[in-house]
Amino acid sequence: MGSLDTNPISFSAFGDDAGFQPLNPEDVRGYLHKAVDFISDYYKSVESMPVLPDVKPGYLQDQLQAKPPTYPAPFDVTMKEFRTSVVPGMTHWASPNFFAFFPSTNSAAAIAGDLIASAMNTVGFTWQASPAATEMEVLALDWLAQLLRLPTSFMNRTSAGRGTGGGVILGTTSEAMLVTLVAARDAALRRTGSEGVAGITRLTVYAADQTHSTFFKACRLAGFDPANIRSIPTGAETDYGLDPAKLLEIMQADMDAGLVPTYICATVGTTSSNAVDPVGAVADVAAMFNAWVHVDAAYAGSACICPEFRHHLNGVERIDSISLSPHKWLMTCLDCTCLWVRDTHRLTDSLETNPEYLKNHASESGTVTDLKDMQVGVGRRFRGLKLWMVMRTYGAAKLQEHIRGDVSMAKMFEESVRADERFEVVVPRNFALVCFRIKPQNAMTEEDADDANRELMERLNKTGKAYLAHTVVGGKFVLRFAVGSTLQEEMHVRSAWELIKKTTSEIMNGDKIHPKI
Amino acid sequence: MGSLDTNPISFSAFGDDAGFQPLNPEDVRGYLHKAVDFISDYYKSVESMPVLPDVKPGYLQDQLQAKPPTYPAPFDVTMKEFRTSVVPGMTHWASPNFFAFFPSTNSAAAIAGDLIASAMNTVGFTWQASPAATEMEVLALDWLAQLLRLPTSFMNRTSAGRGTGGGVILGTTSEAMLVTLVAARDAALRRTGSEGVAGITRLTVYAADQTHSTFFKACRLAGFDPANIRSIPTGAETDYGLDPAKLLEIMQADMDAGLVPTYICATVGTTSSNAVDPVGAVADVAAMFNAWVHVDAAYAGSACICPEFRHHLNGVERIDSISLSPHKWLMTCLDCTCLWVRDTHRLTDSLETNPEYLKNHASESGTVTDLKDMQVGVGRRFRGLKLWMVMRTYGAAKLQEHIRGDVSMAKMFEESVRADERFEVVVPRNFALVCFRIKPQNAMTEEDADDANRELMERLNKTGKAYLAHTVVGGKFVLRFAVGSTLQEEMHVRSAWELIKKTTSEIMNGDKIHPKI
């Protein structure tokens, strides 16, 4: 907005006659330079900050005023409160001592791209509403599809022209699951001649019990009956990957019972332990039932840009959709989840809207993709820019180097764990996540070992010098050591390992263990 | 990630022994300064760029290479390709000559906040995963709730401690609709003793026919039967707002037919014409059926921080949820949709997940909000920061000034339209959107008038000097003139009006009209 005073000379934001100009050039430069200074300082000092902060629930509301201010304040005041009150309460995902969950990787090119997107602030719901934003997203997805050697059936444009498949950038994997679940649901309802949604009670969905909980939530969001959501047991015999024989058996039993197998989610690199479901074998089973196969490769999919990891996607040409999140391992800041589908129309059939106020010649011509019809909402950030900037600036070679560097550090850590007889590696390492634990020794029961591992995690995290998360695999409490935070170098992995060894010694040497604290 | 070489001195990103360091300090500063320079130049020059670009579908793929690069390139190359190929193909939402849809407003403080969020790159799915990110979001929502004078029942924290209600920042209004629809659906299924989801075929939802099409899509996503989604006709007699008597009649008929009225979406400021559904009266009708009431105030809700507009929310204390998008009118760049609910548990009952790897003491204590349980996905950007920075820096007074400035410019435009007998204002202006058209005159039929208005829009948009969108109200083709793009000043509104008058004269003076081109 501007003021009713059109004098173009006066530009100061506050307290003058020109009115309020929240994008005046001085402020834009000034505020952004302060932000860049902060970021620069932050990356230099984040290593020395406690990764996990020691704050109590409600601490920030106690520090900042509870009522919104009436009058403006200099941006320096905002930044000061941010530095003083907010930063110390952050969990520092950017810390090189962060080993929890999966890292959220990042890069200078991605941040710059995201910054420009914030400033241009376009809303590319239709092609016309921002042609270049749509085309850049489509191009970035086609580039990444090529790096992953996805079949051309998943590409928006091939050398032969516009393809039948295509992609879209969403905010989270859950959205990718949800929109494909809805497309599969509607197709199954049509196929079975359901009157309205009445047939939904017969539709069944499938995933290994290691699948991220958000899949089961997405099924509920899409209206599937909780009783029809099958969580298929896995075990050590398949390294916690989905057993296609079991899948077949369960799907067949459902079909025999008059149910309609509709959708299977296979995971490449589970969150818990990085297990890999066999994509091709799952696709073969699904084909027998005409069920939709989605591959969730949120984390590990990025590794498949390296030839030595690509085999994990074997069979991808026979699935229906695949998603992966460059914000996890491809140096592109949140949020950025790529979804590709083999047949775009199967998505848009369920997701298309066509209100009068969005009608335009380009959409009506059928020659463009309106990305609103491949996602939950209408509005959308210009997310394609950061992803394109990452690939354009670093190139495939550097991206591969980055993946390999992480894997190499994880391998080093794994070897250290294996060389220390107090520990065990619980599942084979597939990528850059190592799942390990103190193993039962001397007179320890399995329960004692669980307590010792829980105690180890608590103590490590309290030091502020490392942050690890845990999982339970095969009934055992296991520590997850996820390598790959962007600022991480070998020395950080080594330091964490030293800290783990030292803390374990303290625990094993009889410092009191607090079971189940 | 880092390299296996731990030498901390060498920091150049490419081609040396230190390996690939995508966040090395030089690059971070260098790339971000280049981005800031671009933004600064962009805001200075965007006024002179065609608002709507003249590009053909596929243009960008033709300009940029179709294959992803293997080797890195200097960031200057990335920026050059961006400037040369991408920027000319953008629809410039930041242009002061942008009058289409609703503006996506912005500010220096918001962009700075978003930049810092991109750089810190935290993922605040649980409180523990980033305490300050969760608390900042909660605080920002409580502040905005106070500016809107929402009842304390919608606040996360009140002076009495933790409230029963609360908020969450989502990406789009559609997500706010979806998650509340799912909560209402599940509650209705429980209430009616449905076996699994079998009862879903009896659940009905309601909204005025002016409601954004994304609502009807969200209903389908949540599994409601298309036959049970009621679009209630509106007309000029209520200025296209929902008639509570009609709503009551339809809900009663549904109940009499054995259906279960479940959810009503009321809009404050429809996208088509800024119509306002009567919130209090809708709540009163809903209460008779125990139906959930959601208020979609995506655009116009922001105006309710000014006392003179607050009456549009009268009755809000009797509804269940409300959403509004500061990226539309509160100077906070995309994406930022605030959702408040009166009873947080009604959301989390449907959306909670509890996988082992996210378990932690804070969550188990029940004293914190885990925001993943109030949204579709798990991952989430640190969106609270930009919204807090906007309120902290500008204060309520400047935000109100900004709203009032836009409304005042819209009023000026409206008066100009009314003063020219060739035009009519089609619906009363409520906020900063003016819906107008060339009215039938001389020997023109209604159809001729529609053609003339369509022609007017096409010609205006082709000049590159203004971009307007259209709608259909009461069967008539209508131009939407949405004031409020952040760089807009009175002179831009005046120029657009001059252009509209001139172009209309050309059309009316017999330059050929292309009907329905």
Side-chain angles (χ1 to χ4, degrees):
Chain A
M1 85 113 212
S3 85
L4 294 177
D5 178 339
T6 57
N7 175 2
I9 293 160
S10 174
F11 268 118
S12 165
F14 307 124
D16 64 0
D17 295 328
F20 177 37
Q21 298 177 317
L23 284 180
N24 84 66
E26 270 173 42
D27 287 349
V28 169
R29 275 203 173 269
Y31 293 16
L32 292 182
H33 281 147
K34 284 180 213 292
V36 174
D37 286 345
F38 166 80
I39 292 164
S40 198
D41 291 348
Y42 178 71
Y43 283 147
K44 277 181 209 150
S45 56
V46 67
E47 180 171 358
S48 63
M49 298 178 186
V51 196
L52 197 62
D54 181 21
V55 294
K56 297 274 171 293
Y59 95 95
L60 189 63
Q61 284 95 332
D62 295 338
Q63 288 199 17
L64 298 178
Q65 54 189 27
K67 284 186 186 308
T70 301
Y71 299 104
F75 189 61
D76 284 340
V77 171
T78 303
M79 283 302 294
K80 192 181 166 202
E81 291 186 5
F82 171 66
R83 280 178 197 269
T84 311
S85 296
V86 180
V87 176
M90 298 293 286
T91 298
H92 297 291
W93 288 66
S95 168
N97 300 316
F98 182 96
F99 302 100
F101 313 116
F102 289 125
S104 64
T105 59
N106 212 347
S107 62
I111 303 170
D114 219 16
L115 167 57
I116 291 171
S118 294
M120 297 187 93
N121 212 27
T122 52
V123 193
F125 34 68
T126 58
W127 181 89
Q128 192 210 38
S130 210
T134 295
E135 301 222 348
M136 171 117 283
E137 184 163 330
V138 159
L139 180 76
L141 289 162
D142 279 355
W143 275 15
L144 187 48
Q146 291 174 76
L147 293 184
L148 293 163
R149 286 188 284 150
L150 295 186
T152 52
S153 53
F154 285 96
M155 287 175 62
N156 293 278
R157 261 166 77 109
T158 67
S159 52
R162 199 172 171 215
T164 55
V168 63
I169 303 182
L170 306 172
T172 61
T173 298
S174 317
E175 288 166 59
M177 292 169 167
L178 177 62
V179 295
T180 51
L181 276 163
V182 166
R185 178 197 74 189
D186 292 351
L189 288 175
R190 280 193 299 271
R191 201 164 67 227
T192 55
S194 167
E195 188 183 332
V197 300
I200 201 169
T201 54
R202 291 172 56 215
L203 309 188
T204 50
V205 296
Y206 306 83
D209 60 1
Q210 299 297 303
T211 307
H212 198 291
S213 60
T214 206
F215 170 69
F216 302 101
K217 172 170 161 180
C219 294
R220 297 196 311 268
L221 291 177
F224 287 93
D225 199 309
N228 293 353
I229 303 171
R230 310 267 176 263
S231 171
I232 301 168
T234 60
E237 69 284 1
T238 58
D239 293 335
Y240 300 94
L242 181 60
D243 176 353
K246 266 192 205 158
L247 175 66
L248 173 58
E249 190 185 319
I250 293 175
M251 289 179 83
Q252 187 61 53
D254 280 340
M255 187 135 105
D256 293 347
L259 300 174
V260 181
T262 300
Y263 186 103
I264 304 162
C265 179
T267 308
V268 173
T270 60
T271 302
S272 179
S273 71
N274 263 193
V276 176
D277 295 334
V279 171
V282 167
D284 293 339
V285 173
M288 300 164 64
F289 302 91
N290 206 5
W292 183 297
V293 180
H294 178 75
V295 170
D296 165 15
Y299 163 71
S302 295
C304 301
I305 66 168
C306 301
E308 65 271 32
F309 293 109
R310 174 56 174 74
H311 66 93
H312 291 298
L313 293 184
N314 283 353
V316 68
E317 65 284 356
R318 303 198 296 285
I319 65 158
D320 299 280
S321 55
I322 176 169
S323 56
L324 76 78
S325 299
H327 60 236
K328 282 202 157 66
W329 206 2
L330 225 48
M331 303 154 53
T332 307
C333 47
L334 264 75
D335 40 11
C336 186
T337 294
C338 299
L339 167 67
W340 293 270
V341 291
R342 199 150 48 96
D343 179 353
T344 311
H345 283 293
R346 292 172 69 190
L347 258 197
T348 56
D349 280 353
S350 287
L351 301 176
E352 196 170 66
T353 56
N354 194 20
E356 185 62 40
Y357 38 84
L358 296 184
K359 285 183 181 163
N360 65 84
H361 294 317
S363 298
E364 282 159 22
S365 74
T367 58
V368 298
T369 303
D370 289 336
L371 292 173
K372 72 174 172 54
D373 296 335
M374 297 179 69
Q375 63 175 19
V376 171
V378 181
R380 53 201 331 278
R381 260 176 84 82
F382 184 13
R383 292 189 186 114
L385 182 59
K386 60 185 171 187
L387 181 59
W388 175 79
M389 283 200 168
V390 164
M391 289 186 283
R392 184 68 192 98
T393 307
Y394 303 122
K398 287 288 166 191
L399 298 177
Q400 290 172 339
E401 180 183 335
H402 153 82
I403 298 281
R404 287 170 179 145
D406 288 351
V407 172
S408 164
M409 288 193 286
K411 199 177 277 181
M412 180 191 80
F413 181 84
E414 179 194 26
E415 282 160 10
S416 304
V417 172
R418 287 194 191 280
D420 188 322
E421 58 183 12
R422 297 174 299 173
F423 297 97
E424 63 180 339
V425 173
V426 180
V427 290
R429 180 195 51 74
N430 282 321
F431 305 100
L433 171 71
V434 181
C435 292
F436 75 105
R437 68 196 291 256
I438 300 170
K439 64 183 175 195
Q441 48 207 271
N442 308 327
M444 285 169 88
T445 63
E446 278 291 347
E447 198 175 68
D448 292 338
D450 279 356
D451 289 343
N453 280 295
R454 197 177 282 112
E455 176 76 13
L456 174 58
M457 182 180 78
E458 302 278 349
R459 289 198 193 185
L460 290 169
N461 292 350
K462 269 192 191 143
T463 64
K465 290 178 183 162
Y467 177 30
L468 279 75
H470 76 283
T471 187
V472 169
V473 178
K476 296 171 182 171
F477 188 98
V478 172
L479 296 188
R480 295 173 73 267
F481 191 85
V483 169
S485 166
T486 313
L487 294 168
Q488 217 158 67
E489 300 184 22
E490 195 180 305
M491 62 179 173
H492 302 106
V493 176
R494 287 197 197 284
S495 298
W497 174 238
E498 292 304 320
L499 184 64
I500 290 166
K501 284 195 295 185
K502 179 172 153 278
T503 311
T504 301
S505 294
E506 288 165 8
I507 293 172
M508 305 302 279
N509 292 344
D511 285 21
K512 67 177 184 304
I513 297 178
H514 311 280
K516 302 198 175 134
I517 55 167
Chain B
M1 85 115 213
S3 87
L4 293 176
D5 177 340
T6 57
N7 175 1
I9 294 159
S10 175
F11 266 119
S12 166
F14 307 123
D16 65 1
D17 295 326
F20 177 37
Q21 299 178 315
L23 285 180
N24 83 66
E26 268 172 45
D27 287 349
V28 169
R29 273 202 175 272
Y31 293 16
L32 292 183
H33 280 147
K34 285 181 213 290
V36 174
D37 287 345
F38 166 80
I39 291 165
S40 197
D41 292 347
Y42 178 70
Y43 284 147
K44 276 180 210 151
S45 56
V46 68
E47 180 172 359
S48 63
M49 297 178 186
V51 194
L52 196 63
D54 180 21
V55 294
K56 297 274 172 294
Y59 95 94
L60 189 63
Q61 285 95 331
D62 295 337
Q63 289 200 15
L64 298 178
Q65 54 189 27
K67 285 189 184 306
T70 303
Y71 299 105
F75 189 62
D76 284 339
V77 171
T78 303
M79 283 302 294
K80 191 181 166 201
E81 290 186 4
F82 170 66
R83 280 177 197 268
T84 310
S85 297
V86 181
V87 176
M90 299 293 286
T91 298
H92 297 291
W93 288 65
S95 168
N97 301 316
F98 182 96
F99 301 100
F101 312 118
F102 289 125
S104 65
T105 60
N106 212 348
S107 62
I111 303 169
D114 219 17
L115 168 58
I116 291 171
S118 294
M120 297 186 93
N121 213 24
T122 52
V123 194
F125 37 66
T126 57
W127 180 88
Q128 192 209 39
S130 210
T134 295
E135 302 222 347
M136 172 117 282
E137 183 163 330
V138 159
L139 180 75
L141 289 162
D142 279 355
W143 275 14
L144 187 48
Q146 290 174 75
L147 292 184
L148 294 162
R149 285 189 285 149
L150 295 185
T152 52
S153 53
F154 285 95
M155 287 174 63
N156 292 280
R157 262 167 77 110
T158 66
S159 52
R162 199 171 170 216
T164 55
V168 64
I169 300 182
L170 307 171
T172 59
T173 297
S174 317
E175 288 167 58
M177 290 168 168
L178 177 63
V179 296
T180 52
L181 276 164
V182 167
R185 177 198 75 188
D186 291 352
L189 288 174
R190 281 193 299 271
R191 201 164 66 226
T192 55
S194 168
E195 187 182 334
V197 300
I200 200 169
T201 54
R202 290 173 55 217
L203 309 188
T204 50
V205 296
Y206 306 83
D209 60 2
Q210 299 297 302
T211 306
H212 198 292
S213 60
T214 206
F215 170 70
F216 302 101
K217 172 170 162 180
C219 293
R220 296 195 312 267
L221 291 177
F224 287 93
D225 199 307
N228 293 352
I229 303 171
R230 309 268 176 262
S231 170
I232 300 169
T234 60
E237 69 284 1
T238 57
D239 293 336
Y240 299 93
L242 182 60
D243 175 354
K246 267 191 205 158
L247 176 66
L248 173 58
E249 190 185 319
I250 294 175
M251 291 179 82
Q252 188 62 53
D254 280 340
M255 187 135 105
D256 293 346
L259 300 173
V260 182
T262 299
Y263 186 102
I264 304 163
C265 179
T267 308
V268 173
T270 61
T271 301
S272 179
S273 70
N274 263 192
V276 176
D277 296 334
V279 172
V282 167
D284 292 340
V285 173
M288 300 164 65
F289 302 91
N290 206 4
W292 184 296
V293 179
H294 178 74
V295 170
D296 165 14
Y299 163 71
S302 295
C304 300
I305 66 169
C306 301
E308 66 270 31
F309 293 109
R310 175 57 176 72
H311 65 94
H312 291 298
L313 293 183
N314 283 352
V316 68
E317 65 283 356
R318 302 197 295 285
I319 66 158
D320 299 282
S321 54
I322 176 169
S323 57
L324 74 82
S325 298
H327 60 235
K328 282 201 159 68
W329 207 3
L330 226 48
M331 302 154 53
T332 307
C333 47
L334 264 75
D335 39 10
C336 186
T337 293
C338 300
L339 167 66
W340 293 268
V341 291
R342 198 148 50 96
D343 179 354
T344 310
H345 284 293
R346 293 171 69 191
L347 257 198
T348 57
D349 280 353
S350 286
L351 301 177
E352 196 171 67
T353 56
N354 194 21
E356 186 62 40
Y357 38 84
L358 296 184
K359 286 181 182 167
N360 65 82
H361 294 318
S363 297
E364 281 158 21
S365 73
T367 59
V368 298
T369 303
D370 289 337
L371 292 175
K372 72 174 171 54
D373 296 335
M374 296 178 71
Q375 64 175 21
V376 171
V378 181
R380 54 201 331 279
R381 261 176 84 81
F382 185 12
R383 292 190 186 113
L385 182 58
K386 60 185 170 186
L387 181 59
W388 176 78
M389 283 200 168
V390 165
M391 290 186 283
R392 183 68 191 96
T393 307
Y394 303 122
K398 287 288 168 191
L399 297 177
Q400 290 172 340
E401 180 183 335
H402 154 82
I403 297 281
R404 287 171 180 147
D406 288 349
V407 172
S408 162
M409 288 193 286
K411 199 178 278 183
M412 179 192 79
F413 181 83
E414 181 194 25
E415 282 161 11
S416 303
V417 172
R418 287 193 191 280
D420 188 320
E421 59 183 14
R422 297 174 300 173
F423 298 96
E424 63 179 339
V425 173
V426 180
V427 290
R429 181 196 50 73
N430 282 322
F431 305 101
L433 171 71
V434 181
C435 292
F436 75 104
R437 68 195 292 254
I438 299 171
K439 64 184 176 195
Q441 49 206 269
N442 307 327
M444 287 169 86
T445 63
E446 278 292 347
E447 198 174 68
D448 292 338
D450 278 356
D451 288 344
N453 281 294
R454 195 177 283 112
E455 176 75 14
L456 174 58
M457 183 179 77
E458 301 279 349
R459 290 198 191 186
L460 289 170
N461 291 351
K462 269 190 192 145
T463 63
K465 292 179 181 161
Y467 179 28
L468 280 76
H470 76 281
T471 188
V472 169
V473 178
K476 295 171 183 168
F477 188 98
V478 172
L479 296 187
R480 294 172 74 267
F481 190 86
V483 169
S485 166
T486 313
L487 293 168
Q488 218 158 65
E489 301 184 21
E490 194 180 306
M491 61 179 173
H492 302 105
V493 176
R494 286 196 198 284
S495 298
W497 173 238
E498 292 304 320
L499 184 64
I500 290 166
K501 283 195 296 184
K502 179 171 152 278
T503 311
T504 301
S505 295
E506 288 165 8
I507 293 174
M508 303 303 278
N509 291 344
D511 285 21
K512 66 178 189 301
I513 297 177
H514 311 281
K516 301 198 175 134
I517 55 167

